[in-house]
Amino acid sequence: MATSVWKGMITFGLVAIPIRLYAAARSKHTSFHQLHKECNTRIKQPQFCPHCNRFVQRSEIVKGYEHDKDQYVLVEEEDIKKVAPPSEKNMEILSFVGESKVDPIYFDSSYLAVPEPQAAKAYQLLVKALADTKMLGIAKVTMHQREYTVFLRPRDGGITLHTMFYANEIASVDEYGKTEGGKPNPLEVKLAEQLIQTLAGDFKPEEFGDEYQNRLGELIEAKLKGKSIAVSHEAPLTPVIDIMEALKKSLAASEAQRPKAEPKAVPINATARRQKRKTG
């Protein structure tokens, strides 16, 4: 059973909706441990105090903030609880914004907001209101000793919450978006748009996967069975010199791979009429 990461209230105006938050997505990858080459034993990293010259237990560890070189101010868990803002328990919606007005680059982690049983009606009211107005709610919530600004987005009959990257966390690269010396001609644009249309289709997330992780899994499975795997070599790509020619070849190849349309069946009565005209 999934474990909630936050429990509290969504509030907007005088409406309060008790909810729980669950992680909406987690990246999956094959991880490796560090082993001692001599005996294949996993290497551990125990807590060690150089002043006392001994290993310490987790129960002996306290939090400390370094305000000067090797000088710390101690902070107890009770002290941290005292300074927790209201958003630790109440997620107040501060404003609403059109969903098309928010660049997805500001979305960070995602969570599923699930109402408590007694709040189902109020929750669905908020879901429908957001969906009908095509709005996102902007709120603040405190989790893991940090206050986040979050977006509340209606999705599949529920509310998905996205933590927000702040403006100063979005990278800026001077060369990004510059178009000097790279303007395409209208024919190149038309061919590129045609190529996009031939590759267009519905978004089916189940069709995508991490090929590298799949290959790692195959490698591990083969090693467990004492086998080896074949290495696939692909020809290296070279920079495009003639863009127009590359677009034409890409378009032709893409169209050749598209499934052929089934010939339309001719109604029997129409066929009969044509045969009658020929014989008449």
Side-chain angles (χ1 to χ4, degrees):
M1 183 176 180
T3 303
S4 62
V5 297
W6 188 86
K7 178 183 178 182
M9 297 275 192
I10 292 178
T11 64
F12 67 110
L14 298 178
V15 180
I17 308 170
I19 65 154
R20 294 173 185 264
L21 290 183
Y22 297 84
R26 297 185 187 276
S27 59
K28 295 183 178 180
H29 63 278
T30 302
S31 59
F32 296 97
H33 297 294
Q34 293 182 322
L35 307 179
H36 185 198
K37 188 175 181 179
E38 297 297 324
C39 61
N40 289 346
T41 301
R42 183 176 172 182
I43 299 299
K44 295 184 178 181
Q45 299 179 4
Q47 306 289 344
F48 182 79
C49 175
H51 179 268
C52 298
N53 194 31
R54 68 177 180 87
F55 296 113
V56 297
Q57 301 297 319
R58 189 172 296 276
S59 60
E60 299 178 80
I61 299 174
V62 296
K63 287 184 172 67
Y65 176 80
E66 188 175 23
H67 61 88
D68 206 345
K69 179 65 175 176
D70 295 331
Q71 298 295 314
Y72 301 90
V73 56
L74 299 184
V75 180
E76 302 289 343
E77 288 296 333
E78 288 301 317
D79 297 327
I80 294 175
K81 291 179 181 178
K82 290 176 183 178
V83 299
S87 59
E88 184 185 35
K89 292 296 182 183
N90 294 317
M91 188 192 310
E92 181 184 3
I93 298 179
L94 306 174
S95 64
F96 295 91
V97 62
E99 58 185 13
S100 63
K101 302 294 184 182
V102 179
D103 189 326
I105 197 171
Y106 289 99
F107 289 2
D108 186 9
S109 299
S110 300
Y111 298 88
L112 303 177
V114 178
E116 299 290 4
Q118 71 274 20
K121 184 176 180 179
Y123 177 86
Q124 287 302 325
L125 171 65
L126 179 57
V127 172
K128 182 164 178 54
L130 288 173
D132 289 351
T133 58
K134 292 181 169 52
M135 290 282 190
L136 302 177
I138 300 180
K140 284 186 175 291
V141 62
T142 295
M143 298 185 293
H144 316 306
Q145 297 178 4
R146 179 183 174 185
E147 187 174 55
Y148 297 88
T149 299
V150 296
F151 300 106
L152 280 69
R153 180 171 68 91
R155 186 183 70 86
D156 292 343
I159 292 176
T160 297
L161 181 147
H162 306 278
T163 58
M164 173 184 165
F165 280 120
Y166 293 111
N168 64 349
E169 295 175 320
I170 303 299
S172 176
V173 179
D174 292 338
E175 297 83 3
Y176 180 78
K178 298 293 177 63
T179 59
E180 290 82 353
K183 187 175 182 180
N185 65 53
L187 184 54
E188 290 171 341
V189 173
K190 184 177 180 179
L191 285 173
E193 291 173 350
Q194 289 177 357
L195 178 58
I196 289 173
Q197 288 302 322
T198 63
L199 296 173
D202 296 329
F203 174 56
K204 299 177 180 179
E206 64 275 7
E207 293 182 352
F208 300 92
D210 188 334
E211 184 178 356
Y212 182 64
Q213 290 297 312
N214 292 339
R215 291 186 179 188
L216 277 179
E218 292 171 1
L219 171 64
I220 292 170
E221 187 67 23
K223 282 186 169 291
L224 285 172
K225 295 178 180 179
K227 300 179 180 179
S228 60
I229 61 172
V231 179
S232 58
H233 296 284
E234 297 181 359
L237 296 175
T238 57
V240 174
I241 303 299
D242 188 336
I243 296 178
M244 185 71 75
E245 187 64 24
L247 284 170
K248 289 179 180 178
K249 289 182 179 179
S250 299
L251 187 58
S254 179
E255 289 179 338
Q257 292 177 359
R258 296 182 72 178
K260 302 295 183 183
E262 292 287 338
K264 292 185 177 179
V266 180
I268 296 176
N269 58 346
T271 305
R273 284 197 297 270
R274 284 200 294 270
Q275 291 293 337
K276 185 176 181 180
R277 284 197 296 269
K278 288 180 180 179
T279 57

